[in-house]
Amino acid sequence: MYYLICGILLMNYNSVQANPKSNSTEFLIGGDDDGDGLLNSWEINGLDINNDGNIDLDLPAMGSDPSHKDIFVEVDFMENHRPNQAALDEVITSFANSPSVNPDGNNGINLHINIDEQLPHEDNMNSDDLYEYKGLHLGNVVERADANRDNVINAREIATHYAIFGHTQPYSTSSGESPNMPGKEFMVTLGASKWGSDPATGHNVGSIDQQSGTFMHELGHNLGLDHGGWNDINCKPNYLSVMNYAYQMSSLLGNRTLDYSRSVLPLLNENNLNEVEGLGMSTPPNMISAYGPPPIKFTFTGIPVDWSRDDTTTDLGVHADINNIPSEGCLRSSGENLAGYNDWASLTFGDVSNGTGSTHSGAGQKEFTTEDLIGHRILLWESIKDLAYPVNPIYYNFSNPTEVQNYQLTNAILNDTYNNMTNLLVTSQLKNAINQTNELKELYKVTNDTKPIWYMDNMVTVLQKQI
Ligand SMILES: [Zn+2]
Ligand SMILES: [Zn+2]
């Protein structure tokens, strides 16, 4: 307790000392000291968009701080699709804990999410609809009825992002979309039948994990990030970011952190992989990453990796399509150079509504879909089978009827002849699939083989986060 109090006092002392600009009059009025795209004068006095001496958007009342980065997001939602506050809180926490540096000496970004209006339910919306909704619903009801309406809306257009939680996009189960990169608007569309459902209504709205991951992924596009950080090469094992389809949701790794990448991992040349160097070390250290081709494998950063899968980790010059983790965005593509990226150090803030942003989705490109989600379930199951089936008979005493039964049942679960796990996963019978995975794990413990057990535990966590 003594140390805790001392620590808090010390932290307060340091933060005061590290804040040479606590007096707001020292700010250069035209500048943007914290680099969040919001000018000092706006963050101190409010935004007067037409310079008539009247404040049109009171950013200080909304929580702006000229010495600490702020991002404002207005969220409207269709009926049944009010965002889960726990999901938004996860994103807010991730931004607060980010390594972004600020003039006040404290790292992090204050993400201000304002849940605004409920809109009528529409089954489909596309990017054009998103702009139309924004045109009609940016700002709140009071602001839009005000005589100063146009200036308020123009100020919001510059200072805030606009998002809609809707149902689905046309002809697609895509989880979301941000039409521009960087940009100012995005949508989260988790209404297709295999996204998680709201226990109160039964309506598909996305699980907490699916909502938080998609919100942060689409906001990341708004902040200038692509699926490979600076490029669109997806599913790179050395790019540990929510922007990567392997980590948008906890759909492969049950305990992946909801985060943008924090450091540049070393380049991986798929024609010349070095097993000793592996992925290099991550920030934070010892993160877990998935790599292909199927059956997919998991490894820590900072240790040698068996890219060639010959049970040694000393090979040099290995050829392997390691970002082949099949889903819509991660098709087979051998021989690539896979570069790491530091997302947090590279975010684009500020007014990007003037058309400088590049278009995100080219023709036919989709965001992470329910087909991808189910694909990931099957990939996890295939990896377990690859490691565990057939179960090694040396662990069983075949003169004991119970052990004979356990041996047969273990194999039957693993080869889908008992309860057909593959079918449970495809048809989203997730509670049954979790129960069966736990049963398999208990049966499999007799082998003392911890690696498949880890994969089974991971699959249970993954499936729990989809409910
Ligand atoms: Zn809906
Ligand atoms: Zn995306």
Side-chain angles (χ1 to χ4, degrees), residues 343-357:
D343 290 345
W344 285 112
S346 316
L347 299 183
T348 304
F349 297 94
D351 181 15
V352 291
S353 57
N354 56 7
T356 55

Side-chain angles (χ1 to χ4, degrees), residues 73-357:
V73 185
E74 175 182 329
V75 176
D76 290 340
F77 59 97
M78 289 182 184
E79 186 180 3
N80 287 327
H81 290 276
R82 185 183 181 90
N84 190 311
Q85 190 61 47
L88 299 184
D89 287 346
E90 287 181 3
V91 184
I92 290 167
T93 300
S94 181
F95 274 75
N97 292 338
S98 79
S100 279
V101 295
N102 294 292
D104 69 3
N106 298 318
N107 288 353
I109 298 174
N110 289 332
L111 176 61
H112 310 266
I113 303 175
N114 171 33
I115 303 180
D116 186 31
E117 278 168 84
Q118 178 175 306
L119 309 173
H121 194 276
E122 298 285 344
D123 285 348
N124 288 312
M125 67 178 289
N126 61 22
S127 298
D128 292 338
D129 299 325
L130 175 61
Y131 291 113
E132 196 169 319
Y133 280 116
K134 182 179 178 180
L136 291 169
H137 296 282
L138 182 64
N140 59 44
V141 176
V142 175
E143 289 169 341
R144 289 200 306 275
D146 194 277
N148 192 36
R149 173 189 196 281
D150 289 350
N151 292 320
V152 176
I153 301 305
N154 287 341
R156 281 204 178 270
E157 175 69 43
I158 285 179
T160 69
H161 295 259
Y162 180 77
I164 289 189
F165 274 66
H167 187 76
T168 58
Q169 296 172 51
Y171 312 110
S172 159
T173 64
S174 177
S175 50
E177 181 59 42
S178 160
N180 297 293
M181 189 175 62
K184 282 285 190 181
E185 47 284 306
F186 65 90
M187 54 181 154
V188 175
T189 49
L190 295 164
S193 67
K194 287 178 179 169
W195 299 121
S197 58
D198 181 340
T201 63
H203 199 86
N204 294 94
V205 298
S207 66
I208 291 173
D209 178 74
Q210 291 161 357
Q211 286 191 19
S212 60
T214 304
F215 187 94
M216 190 155 167
H217 179 101
E218 302 306 339
L219 180 56
H221 286 314
N222 275 21
L223 299 173
L225 302 173
D226 205 339
H227 298 136
W230 61 280
N231 65 14
D232 64 356
I233 299 181
N234 215 326
C235 295
K236 294 186 286 195
N238 56 342
Y239 179 53
L240 298 168
S241 168
V242 73
M243 300 310 298
N244 180 337
Y245 279 9
Y247 307 110
Q248 177 177 333
M249 300 169 185
S250 307
S251 57
L252 281 178
L253 191 55
N255 288 317
R256 77 94 170 80
T257 45
L258 179 71
D259 208 353
Y260 300 132
S261 64
R262 288 168 175 258
S263 64
V264 183
L265 291 179
L267 183 94
L268 296 171
N269 176 349
E270 290 188 322
N271 287 328
N272 187 19
L273 295 166
N274 181 323
E275 295 198 338
V276 178
E277 289 178 5
L279 290 169
M281 187 50 93
S282 58
T283 308
N286 311 315
M287 292 175 76
I288 301 178
S289 179
Y291 63 95
I296 57 158
K297 302 282 182 185
F298 294 95
T299 183
F300 287 103
T301 61
I303 62 169
V305 176
D306 182 15
W307 299 122
S308 66
R309 305 186 183 205
D310 64 353
D311 293 323
T312 71
T313 52
T314 52
D315 299 327
L316 306 175
V318 175
H319 294 247
D321 188 5
I322 56 175
N323 71 326
N324 176 7
I325 301 176
S327 67
E328 178 89 14
C330 306
L331 298 175
R332 195 186 328 237
S333 53
S334 56
E336 288 174 309
N337 272 319
L338 308 178
Y341 195 64
N342 183 338
D343 290 345
W344 285 112
S346 316
L347 299 183
T348 304
F349 297 94
D351 181 15
V352 291
S353 57
N354 56 7
T356 55

